[in-house]
Amino acid sequence: MTPSSLREELKKKGPFQSLEQEAMLGILRTSDLLENRLARLLRKYGLTPSQYNAMRIMRGEGEPMPCLEVADRMIQVAPAITRVVDQLLHRELVHKTQSSQDRRVFLVGVTEEGLALLRQLDEPIQNLHRELLGHVSAEDLQTLNRILHIARGSVSE
C-alpha cells in the first residue's frame, strides 16, 4: 500500500501526523477488511469469528480445558467468553463440565458435531487465507509477521 493510497481510501485530506499514525491506521484498516471477509465466510456456517476461534483453541488442546484459558488464548480479547461458550453449547458444538479439582472452574471441549463443523471449515478458511494474502511473497509475509511481532511486544494488555 503506497502512502497516498491509505489517505485516499480513508478520504483523508491532509497528510498523516506521523509514520506511526499512518502505520497504525493502516493496520486497523487492514484488520477490519480481513476480519469482515472472515466473518462473511463464517456467517455461512452460523458462526462468529469469536466462536470459531474458541472452537479452534479447544480442538488444538485436544481435551477439555478451563473456560478462562480459552479466553486467554483468543486472538481478540473476548470479555464475554461465557456468552460465546453458551452460544456454542446451545448448538451442541461444545460441551462444558465442572472441574472435579476446583468447582469454580468449568472445562470446555469440542463435541463430535463441533469437530465435524471445523473440518468442514478447514479448507474454506485456508482458501480465504490464500485469496487474501496469496499475492504477497513469502519473504514479505515473513517480514510482516516479524514487524507485527515487534509491534505486539510493546503493547501491554
Side-chain angles (χ1 to χ4, degrees), residues 25-120:
L25 294 175
I27 290 167
L28 293 172
R29 176 69 175 149
T30 305
S31 174
D32 186 59
L33 292 169
L34 296 175
E35 186 176 356
N36 284 337
R37 288 292 304 277
L38 176 63
R40 198 176 332 154
L41 171 63
L42 292 173
R43 199 172 306 124
K44 294 176 187 174
Y45 295 85
L47 292 174
T48 65
S50 291
Q51 291 168 341
Y52 173 69
N53 187 208
M55 289 177 60
R56 283 192 67 240
I57 291 165
M58 291 178 226
R59 175 175 67 174
E61 186 65 17
E63 60 186 42
M65 61 190 294
C67 196
L68 290 177
E69 190 174 332
V70 174
D72 287 343
R73 294 188 193 182
M74 296 287 284
I75 292 171
Q76 292 181 320
V77 177
I81 189 64
T82 303
R83 195 183 93 221
V84 170
V85 169
D86 286 346
Q87 291 166 340
L88 294 170
L89 275 167
H90 181 72
R91 291 188 54 198
E92 299 181 356
L93 298 173
V94 301
H95 56 82
K96 178 174 157 181
T97 57
Q98 198 167 31
S99 169
S100 57
Q101 283 90 14
D102 185 343
R103 296 184 54 77
R104 297 169 296 174
V105 174
F106 286 91
L107 303 175
V108 291
V110 185
T111 63
E112 282 303 319
E113 187 177 338
L115 289 171
L117 180 58
L118 286 171
R119 283 191 296 272
Q120 191 179 354

